[in-house]
Amino acid sequence: MPAAALKPLPTQSTAKRAVLLDLPYEPVEKRPLPPGRPRDWYVTHNRRLKAMRLAIALLDSGVYVPNQARDDTIRSAAQLIGVHPPSDTTCHMVRALMRYAR
């Protein structure tokens, strides 16, 4: 393989001009959940999705450590991204996601 093929692509720090960031995230098209599961499975599944969205929103806003993510911070992030205010259980799950992602 020629040496030119191994040359890394330019990044933000090495590019001659600024590299444009991606457009804001757009969620993928929603699909129906599989039928026939117990109701508790759907509740848990939706709670995990909500916690993941909130954790991503907090990371994007500069909250990187779980002890910075108090319930009021998480609920204000929920209002910012347009989801219903999370329960205490969901807030706990958001902090757990941030803790174990490190």
Side-chain angles (χ1 to χ4, degrees):
M1 186 181 298
L6 298 176
K7 182 178 176 184
L9 296 173
T11 61
Q12 186 73 30
S13 60
T14 61
K16 301 284 188 254
R17 57 185 167 75
V19 176
L20 296 175
L21 297 175
D22 290 338
L23 295 175
Y25 170 76
E26 289 185 25
V28 294
E29 184 178 335
K30 291 185 177 182
R31 298 181 303 184
L33 293 175
R37 307 270 177 130
R39 177 172 168 72
D40 190 44
W41 183 89
Y42 297 105
V43 171
T44 305
H45 176 76
N46 288 329
R47 181 168 297 183
R48 285 180 184 150
L49 290 178
K50 186 176 194 175
M52 207 176 337
R53 283 189 208 105
L54 288 169
I56 291 168
L58 287 169
L59 291 170
D60 287 344
S61 69
V63 177
Y64 302 112
V65 185
N67 58 1
Q68 290 177 331
R70 293 181 302 277
D71 287 353
D72 58 335
T73 308
I74 296 171
R75 289 187 175 112
S76 65
Q79 185 179 12
L80 185 69
I81 64 172
V83 297
H84 288 285
S87 65
D88 292 341
T89 306
T90 305
C91 290
H92 179 75
M93 194 177 286
V94 169
R95 285 188 289 275
L97 280 171
M98 293 175 77
R99 184 175 301 115
Y100 294 120
R102 300 191 104 221

